[in-house]
C-alpha cells in the first residue's frame, strides 16, 4: 500500500526528507479511485459512556459492541463539545466549535459558510448519503427544527425513519449501500436511547420491569410508557400537576439501559450485514454520540439547558480503521477531531478550510496526547477539562466549580475554593477560550447569546 501511494506522489515530493515520508504517504496523497476506503459514521443520540459495559458499567448493556470493539480503537476519554443535538452534530460534521452555530439569529441548520464532511468528500468522488431518525438532524423542516438544513452535501438524505427504532435505520442504510458505488460516505443517526425510552416490542427485557409489574411497583403510567417530559415540567417549569417518585426514576433509568441494549443488538446486525457484503475490510467506521443524558444523577433530568455534567459531556468513541491494530486509548479526544481524523486517514485534501479539531492519528497509533485541555459549552455553562480536573464556569453568575474526576467521577464535591492552584490556570484558559469565540465575559455578549438560544429552544418545545 505504502509503495503505491509513494508512486503517486514522488514526482512532487522529491525535495522532502526521507524522514517525512510516512506522513506524506498517508496524509498528503489521495488514494486511487479503486483503493479508497468507504466512511461510515454511526451517531447514537443521547448515549452516555458510563452506562455502557464497554466502559465498565455493571450491566451488560453493550455486549456486542464489546466484541466488535476488540477489532477497533476505543477512546476512554472522549467528549462532546455541547450537550444539545444541533450544535453538537453541527460541530461533529464540520470540526468547528459550537459557538460558530450559536450566533444571533442563527437557525439549527449548518450555515452555508461552513463546509461539512459530505461537502468535502463529494467533489472528491465519494457518493454521500445519510439516514436520520432525528427530529433535529434533518434535511427538511420539522416542528423542532423549522429550517432543516443538515442535508447539504448529501446526495440522499433519508428521513423515513423519523423517531423509529434502529432496525429501520439499518434497513434503509443497507438498501442505500446495495445501490451505491464505492467509495461512499454514509451517516447514520440513531435515536436510541433518546427519550421517550421505548425499546421495541420484540426486544427481550433484561433490566426494566414489564408494564404490569412496573404498575405493581408503583410506577406512574407515563413512566411505564418511557415518557420523561413530566419530570422536566415539574423540575424546570414548577408545574405541580406532575409529580414523580423514586420508582419512576428507577424504572426510567432501567428503560434507558434497555434502549442501549436494543441499539447494541442492531449494531451487531449492521456489522454482520457489512461483513457479508465484504465491506468491513475497506470501510473506516466511526461510532460516536452527540451527547449523553442526565438521569437525576445531580437532581436534573435530560440534556440541553445548563447541563454540563459528565453524564452529558462524556461520550463513547470507537474507530475501526483498516489495517490499524485494536487498542484502548486514554488520550483526550473530542468529537471535533473526527473530521480531521477521517480526512487524514483517507489522504483527502481540504485546502483552505479551518478546523477547530485535530487528527487523532497520534493518539490512535501511539496513545500520544493531541490535546492538553478539552472545552465545551451548554446553556450558560462553559467547561474546561485537562484529563483530571474539570472546571465549570457559569456565565450568568460568574461563579465556578472544580471537580477532580479521578477521585470524584460523579462530580459530587466542588473543590474550587480548596484547590486554587488547580483552579486558577483552568479558569484562565477557559476565559481566554470564551473570549476568543464569544467575546469577553465582562461584556455580557456570551450570556445574552446563551439566553437567546435557550429562549428559541423553549419556543420550539425542545426544553
Amino acid at each position: 500500500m505504502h509503495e503505491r501511494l509513494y508512486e503517486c506522489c514522488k514526482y512532487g515530493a522529491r525535495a522532502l526528507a526521507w524522514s517525512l515520508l510516512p506522513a506524506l504517504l498517508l496524509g498528503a496523497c489521495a488514494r486511487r479511485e479503486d483503493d479508497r476506503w468507504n466512511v461510515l459514521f454511526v451517531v447514537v443520540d443521547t448515549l452516555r459512556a458510563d452506562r455502557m459495559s464497554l466502559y465498565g458499567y455493571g450491566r451488560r448493556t453493550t455486549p456486542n459492541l464489546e466484541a466488535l470493539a476488540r477489532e477497533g480503537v476505543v477512546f476512554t476519554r472522549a467528549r462532546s463539545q455541547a450537550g444539545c443535538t444541533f450544535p453538537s452534530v453541527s460541530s461533529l460534521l464540520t470540526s468547528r466549535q459550537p459557538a460558530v452555530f450559536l450566533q444571533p439569529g442563527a437557525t439549527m441548520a449548518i450555515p452555508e459558510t461552513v463546509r461539512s464532511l459530505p461537502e468535502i468528500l463529494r467533489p472528491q468522488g465519494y457518493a454521500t448519503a445519510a439516514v436520520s431518525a432525528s427530529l433535529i438532524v434533518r434535511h427538511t423542516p420539522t416542528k423542532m427544527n423549522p429550517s432543516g438544513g443538515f442535508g447539504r452535501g448529501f446526495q440522499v438524505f433519508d428521513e423515513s425513519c423519523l423517531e423509529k427504532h434502529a432496525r429501520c435505520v439499518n434497513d434503509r442504510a443497507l438498501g442505500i449501500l446495495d445501490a451505491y458505488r464505492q467509495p461512499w460516505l454514509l451517516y447514520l443517526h440513531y435515536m436510541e436511547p433518546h427519550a421517550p425510552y421505548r425499546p421495541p416490542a420484540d426486544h427481550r427485557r433484561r433490566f426494566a420491569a414489564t408494564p404490569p409489574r412496573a404498575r405493581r411497583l408503583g410506577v406512574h403510567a407515563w413512566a411505564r410508557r418511557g415518557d420523561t417530559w413530566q419530570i422536566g415540567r415539574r423540575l424546570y417549569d414548577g408545574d405541580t400537576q406532575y409529580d414523580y417518585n423514586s420508582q419512576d426514576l428507577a424504572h426510567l433509568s432501567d428503560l434507558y439501559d434497555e434502549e442501549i441494549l436494543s441499539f447494541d443488538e442492531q449494531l451487531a446486525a449492521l456489522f454482520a450485514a457489512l461483513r457479508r457484503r465484504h465491506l468491513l475490510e475497506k470501510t473506516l467506521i466511526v461510532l460516536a454520540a452527540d451527547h449523553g443524558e442526565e438521569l437525576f444523577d445531580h437532581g436534573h433530568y435530560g440534556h440541553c439547558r445548563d447541563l454540563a455534567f459528565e453524564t452529558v459531556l462524556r461520550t463513547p468513541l470507537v474507530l475501526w480503521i483498516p489495517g490499524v491494530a485494536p487498542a484502548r486509548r486514554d488520550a483526550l479526544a473530542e468529537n471535533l477531531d473526527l473530521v480531521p481524523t477521517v480526512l487524514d486517514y483517507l489522504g483527502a485534501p481540504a485546502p483552505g478550510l479551518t478546523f477547530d479539531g485535530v487528527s487523532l492519528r497520534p493518539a490512535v497509533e501511539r496513545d500520544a496526547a493531541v490535546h492538553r485541555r478539552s472545552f465545551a459549552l451548554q446553556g450558560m455553562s462553559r467547561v474546561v477539562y485537562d484529563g483530571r480536573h474539570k472546571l465549570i464556569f457559569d456565565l450568568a453568575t460568574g461563579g465556578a466549580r472544580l471537580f477532580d474526576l479521578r477521585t470524584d467521577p460523579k462530580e459530587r464535591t466542588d473543590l474550587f475554593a480548596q484547590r486554587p492552584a488547580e483552579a486558577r490556570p483552568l479558569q484562565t484558559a477557559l476565559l481566554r477560550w470564551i473570549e476568543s469565540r464569544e467575546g469577553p465575559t465582562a461584556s455580557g455578549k456570551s450570556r445574552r447569546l446563551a439566553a437567546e438560544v435557550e429562549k428559541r429552544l423553549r419556543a420550539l418545545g425542545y426544553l
Side-chain angles (χ1 to χ4, degrees), residues 59-81:
R59 285 176 167 173
R60 292 295 303 281
T61 52
T62 54
N64 293 295
L65 178 54
E66 289 168 52
L68 294 169
R70 295 187 192 111
E71 304 173 23
V73 179
V74 180
F75 282 86
T76 61
R77 293 194 292 180
R79 308 181 66 76
S80 171
Q81 276 57 73

Side-chain angles (χ1 to χ4, degrees), residues 268-340:
L270 176 67
F271 268 69
L274 295 175
R275 203 180 300 274
R276 287 193 300 271
R277 288 162 171 80
H278 304 287
L279 291 171
L280 285 184
E281 61 269 23
K282 51 185 173 183
T283 301
L284 191 163
I285 303 175
V286 176
L287 183 142
D290 55 347
H291 53 74
E293 183 87 317
E294 171 75 5
L295 296 169
F296 214 71
D297 308 73
H298 304 87
H300 292 273
Y301 215 91
H303 51 274
C304 294
R305 305 184 188 279
D306 292 330
L307 301 180
F309 298 107
E310 292 300 279
T311 54
V312 175
L313 294 180
R314 184 181 171 224
T315 49
L317 177 59
V318 186
L319 305 178
W320 291 266
I321 306 171
V324 171
R328 286 182 79 92
R329 298 306 193 201
D330 294 326
L332 270 179
E334 301 183 312
N335 281 351
L336 274 176
D337 302 326
L338 296 178
V339 167

Side-chain angles (χ1 to χ4, degrees), residues 33 58 67 108 120 152 158 188 209 215 275 297 302 308 379 413 448:
E33 184 75 22
M108 290 188 185
I120 298 170
R152 202 171 63 248
D158 189 314
L188 304 180
R215 181 178 182 180
R275 203 180 300 274
D297 308 73
T413 305
R448 290 192 298 272

Side-chain angles (χ1 to χ4, degrees), residues 216-228:
R216 292 194 296 271
L217 292 172
V219 178
H220 283 100
W222 53 266
R224 296 197 298 270
R225 294 191 301 268
D227 290 335
T228 63

